[in-house]
């Protein structure tokens, strides 16, 4: 008689009932309002059991989009390998429900073609990512940064080739300026593989995508390109974590990407004030930070990270929060000021 094996993971049957999905620009792709970013907490420094628990909880909550990049870790590349293992072991029958994205452009391989926007690097990195993820394609493949040493036409042609080879379904860019984004959209349109999505940093303390005439958000709307915001919680700064100083073991004490100047007295005063506004709305600071980013219909989704499954439940509750009143938005604007958090400015200002 055949042996029936109970799967190790059975997703929640109501996973699509409470998570709103938004269309990505003018494309046929839809993303959950909240997506899971794997920049941190999916390297070899995090137990695989905890990673598995976070991914299971995310999917149960309707978060069907998992975002990676070739170098996420530590060490470099380990996040894709760990996630690939979990996808193969727990999600083998659910691939059609998942949106998996990855990126290339920052240093990864040794040698002169180990980074950047060149065709060799981008396509070699995509092959490496697919091997690590144990997949035959990703749903979105991004140019992770603008490379001033490579013509946009070459970067665009590599992204086009990724789609035509069947190794990616859609293409995107990350941290490109408004001008470069418009140029890239035009080139991709001529190639016949449209630019679908842009992934910029955006938060209450990092509002660069609203600036300029036209702003990046204006360009994305004009070109029919979606926007998925990362670092919406300012790497933890827009949570309750830093309301009473810098806790031991936080990202700020680990020498990672939350740098000392970001925890300036001025920034922390703004965080305290924003926390009070969130309390008056009946939200945590993190919930309000996510709700605020999603207030703009040009934003398709917000990428959040999590070090524990419980954090996801708290953040996802933000999608059901009430809209902002004019008075609330005015109060928020008093404290939603640039805090020097755009560490990707070398790309976004080029």
């Amino acid at each position: 008689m055949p042996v029936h094996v109970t799967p190790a993971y059975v997703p929640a049957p109501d996973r699509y009932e409470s998570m709103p999905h938004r269309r990505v620009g003018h494309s046929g792709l839809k993303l959950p309002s909240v997506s899971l970013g794997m920049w941190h907490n999916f390297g070899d420094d995090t137990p695989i059991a905890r990673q598995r628990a976070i991914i299971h909880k995310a999917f149960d909550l309707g978060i069907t989009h998992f975002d990676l990049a070739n170098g996420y870790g530590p060490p470099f590349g380990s996040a894709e390998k760990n996630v690939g293992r979990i996808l193969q072991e727990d999600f083998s029958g659910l691939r059609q429900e998942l949106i998996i994205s990855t990126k290339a452009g920052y240093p990864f391989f040794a040698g002169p073609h180990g980074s950047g926007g060149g065709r060799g690097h981008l396509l070699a990195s995509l092959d490496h990512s697919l091997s690590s993820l144990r997949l035959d394609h990703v749903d979105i493949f991004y140019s992770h940064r603008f490379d001033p040493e490579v013509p946009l036409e070459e970067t665009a042609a590599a992204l086009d080739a990724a789609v035509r080879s069947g190794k990616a379904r859609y293409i995107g860019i990350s941290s490109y300026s408004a001008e470069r984004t418009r140029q890239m959209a035009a080139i991709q349109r001529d190639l016949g593989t449209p630019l679908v999505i842009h992934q910029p940093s955006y938060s209450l303390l990092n509002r660069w995508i609203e600036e300029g005439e036209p702003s990046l958000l204006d360009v994305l709307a004009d070109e029919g390109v979606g926007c998925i915001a990362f670092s919406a919680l300012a790497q933890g700064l827009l949570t309750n974590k830093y309301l009473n100083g810098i806790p031991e073991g936080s990202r700020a004490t680990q020498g990672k990407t939350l740098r000392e100047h970001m925890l300036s007295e001025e920034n922390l005063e703004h965080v305290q004030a924003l926390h009070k506004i969130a309390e008056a709305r009946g939200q945590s600071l993190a919930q309000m930070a996510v709700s605020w980013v999603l207030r703009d219909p040009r934003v398709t989704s917000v990428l959040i990270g999590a070090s524990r499954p419980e954090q996801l439940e708290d953040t996802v509750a933000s999608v059901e929060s009430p809209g902002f009143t004019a008075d609330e938005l005015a109060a928020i604007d008093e404290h939603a000021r640039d805090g020097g958090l755009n560490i990707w400015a070398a790309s976004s200002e080029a």
Side-chain angles (χ1 to χ4, degrees):
M1 296 180 63
V3 176
H4 296 284
V5 179
T6 301
Y9 166 60
V10 178
D14 62 349
R15 58 190 178 277
Y16 290 109
E17 293 181 7
S18 59
M19 175 61 70
H21 281 64
R22 298 184 178 191
R23 187 173 300 280
V24 182
H26 292 167
S27 75
L29 179 65
K30 292 183 179 180
L31 294 180
S33 297
V34 174
S35 299
L36 180 61
M38 292 158 167
W39 181 18
H40 299 285
N41 304 313
F42 288 88
D44 290 348
D45 58 343
T46 301
I48 195 72
R50 190 190 307 167
Q51 297 182 35
R52 178 173 272 113
I54 292 169
I55 292 176
H56 288 183
K57 176 58 72 174
F59 195 72
D60 286 344
L61 292 170
I63 299 176
T64 54
H65 176 211
F66 304 153
D67 180 76
L68 296 117
N70 54 4
Y72 289 174
F76 274 6
S78 59
E80 289 191 329
K81 291 179 181 178
N82 291 331
V83 172
R85 172 185 167 184
I86 295 169
L87 292 179
Q88 184 180 69
E89 293 177 356
D90 298 6
F91 289 83
S92 60
L94 298 165
R95 178 64 181 97
Q96 72 279 3
E97 296 187 40
L98 295 170
I99 301 296
I100 307 296
S101 59
T102 193
K103 302 178 283 291
Y106 285 102
F108 184 62
F109 302 116
H113 302 294
S115 67
R119 183 184 184 94
H121 170 69
L122 292 176
L123 295 182
S125 180
L126 177 57
D127 285 341
H128 188 279
S129 291
L130 292 176
S131 176
S132 295
L133 289 166
R134 309 185 194 188
L135 299 174
D136 62 2
H137 75 277
V138 291
D139 298 281
I140 307 170
F141 181 51
Y142 290 92
S143 165
H144 206 166
R145 67 178 177 96
F146 169 70
D147 184 349
E149 297 183 350
V150 175
L152 278 178
E153 290 79 3
E154 180 175 342
T155 300
L159 296 176
D160 174 71
V163 171
R164 294 185 186 278
S165 68
K167 296 177 181 180
R169 296 289 189 258
Y170 296 95
I171 56 170
I173 55 177
S174 180
S175 299
Y176 277 54
S177 69
E179 179 184 0
R180 301 298 183 190
T181 297
R182 195 182 292 282
Q183 292 170 351
M184 196 67 160
I187 297 168
Q188 296 290 175
R189 192 160 47 243
D190 289 343
L191 288 171
T193 301
L195 178 65
V196 166
I197 192 166
H198 189 298
Q199 186 178 133
S201 60
Y202 182 43
S203 74
L204 286 160
L205 300 177
N206 178 19
R207 302 178 66 171
W208 73 272
I209 68 173
E210 301 175 3
E211 300 167 359
E213 293 292 340
S215 69
L216 176 60
L217 282 172
D218 292 333
V219 169
L220 296 179
D222 289 345
E223 298 290 345
V225 176
C227 175
I228 180 168
F230 76 90
S231 203
L233 300 182
Q235 302 185 61
L237 188 55
L238 290 168
T239 68
N240 293 345
K241 186 179 295 183
Y242 297 99
L243 293 177
N244 299 302
I246 303 175
E248 192 62 36
S250 65
R251 194 178 303 180
T253 65
Q254 296 172 8
K256 294 185 177 180
T257 49
L258 185 58
R259 298 168 185 173
E260 186 176 350
H261 75 273
M262 300 177 185
L263 295 166
S264 66
E265 183 176 341
E266 181 180 4
N267 277 355
L268 292 176
E269 287 176 358
H270 287 310
V271 168
Q272 290 279 359
L274 291 167
H275 169 65
K276 292 178 181 178
I277 297 171
E279 278 191 321
R281 282 175 49 83
Q283 290 183 294
S284 68
L285 177 56
Q287 288 172 337
M288 188 180 79
V290 170
S291 298
W292 182 86
V293 171
L294 287 171
R295 84 199 186 286
D296 194 314
R298 295 170 294 185
V299 175
T300 307
S301 184
V302 173
L303 273 171
I304 62 166
S307 59
R308 303 185 315 277
E310 300 78 26
Q311 292 175 329
L312 292 168
E313 293 180 308
D314 178 74
T315 308
V316 165
S318 61
V319 304
E320 299 177 350
S321 66
F324 291 90
T325 67
D327 287 344
E328 286 173 335
L329 288 174
I332 288 170
D333 280 343
E334 288 293 315
H335 299 284
R337 303 295 180 85
D338 181 78
L341 305 186
N342 185 12
I343 60 175
W344 307 271
S347 174
S348 62
E349 296 177 1

